[in-house]
Amino acid sequence: MSKPSMHATTILAVRRGNTICVGGDGQVSLGPTVVKGDAKKVRRLAGGKVIAGFAGATADAFTLLERLEAKLEQYPNQLTRACVELAKDWRTDRYLRRLEAMMIVADKDVTLTLSGAGDVLEPQHGVTGIGSGGDYARSAALALMTETDLSAEQVVRKAMGIAATICIYTNESLTVETLER
């Protein structure tokens, strides 16, 4: 008998003007059951200078967050370099290769999506989403960015609300963090 798959999360990042905003929902599901509705999947790192949001297996994500913190200490104020070094380790380390998670990380200048496939991607149009409802939230955010003058935080909140109405693994219990340039 196989274990039920765990679905958890929609993470969305929107960069607009001098603001970056990262939001994540709070739902964690095990198979067809919601086991937690208010998980915090968006955190500040590097003394508050970096925002990170994670999707995937929680223990794996925490392992990656710890590794990213170490890279940020090794390469202070160099988010891209720290992420590239983490991605190298993630691809080559036998233990890390098995981790099942993705992350969005951002500082005042850059937003990046990281995956276990070695991807360190800067999003087009300043919007990126990961997790179960990531594509829904990203699509909604892109439409809101095109058609409105809403702030980055307003776009994140509205787009996450839209994703929550579509994706059964996303709820409206949000954690939202912003940084100004």
Side-chain angles (χ1 to χ4, degrees):
M1 184 173 184
S2 65
K3 294 188 321 187
S5 70
M6 185 168 254
H7 294 277
T9 303
T10 298
I11 303 293
L12 176 66
V14 172
R15 185 173 295 275
R16 185 166 230 185
N18 291 325
T19 305
I20 177 64
C21 183
V22 180
D25 79 309
Q27 183 166 307
V28 178
S29 303
L30 186 58
T33 306
V34 175
V35 293
K36 185 170 176 79
D38 62 352
K40 305 289 184 217
K41 303 169 199 168
V42 175
R43 303 186 173 345
R44 286 185 178 264
L45 307 173
K49 295 179 187 175
V50 173
I51 302 171
F54 62 85
T58 306
D60 294 356
F62 281 122
T63 299
L64 291 168
L65 287 172
E66 288 173 7
R67 296 285 181 123
L68 179 58
E69 282 261 56
K71 295 296 183 186
L72 289 167
E73 287 176 15
Q74 189 176 356
Y75 305 105
N77 301 316
Q78 298 179 63
L79 180 61
T80 302
R81 173 93 188 265
C83 289
V84 167
E85 294 300 323
L86 174 62
K88 285 180 190 176
D89 290 350
W90 198 350
R91 290 276 299 156
T92 59
D93 183 276
R94 186 175 293 202
Y95 169 72
L96 292 178
R97 262 196 318 251
R98 294 188 188 105
L99 299 182
E100 296 180 17
M102 289 185 74
M103 296 185 348
I104 293 175
V105 296
D107 66 8
K108 62 183 181 56
D109 297 314
V110 68
T111 305
L112 300 167
T113 302
L114 285 73
S115 80
D119 298 314
V120 179
L121 304 169
E122 189 167 3
Q124 186 176 16
H125 309 299
V127 178
T128 189
I130 59 173
S132 304
D135 288 337
Y136 305 122
R138 186 172 72 76
S139 297
L142 287 168
L144 289 165
M145 298 267 294
T146 302
E147 300 297 325
T148 71
D149 291 326
L150 295 173
S151 70
E153 183 172 345
Q154 290 170 320
V155 169
V156 165
R157 289 185 181 281
K158 286 188 177 290
M160 290 292 290
I162 292 167
T165 65
I166 299 168
C167 178
I168 62 170
Y169 299 112
T170 303
N171 70 12
E172 293 188 50
S173 175
L174 302 180
T175 302
V176 177
E177 295 283 350
T178 61
L179 285 174
E180 299 288 330
R181 187 175 304 163

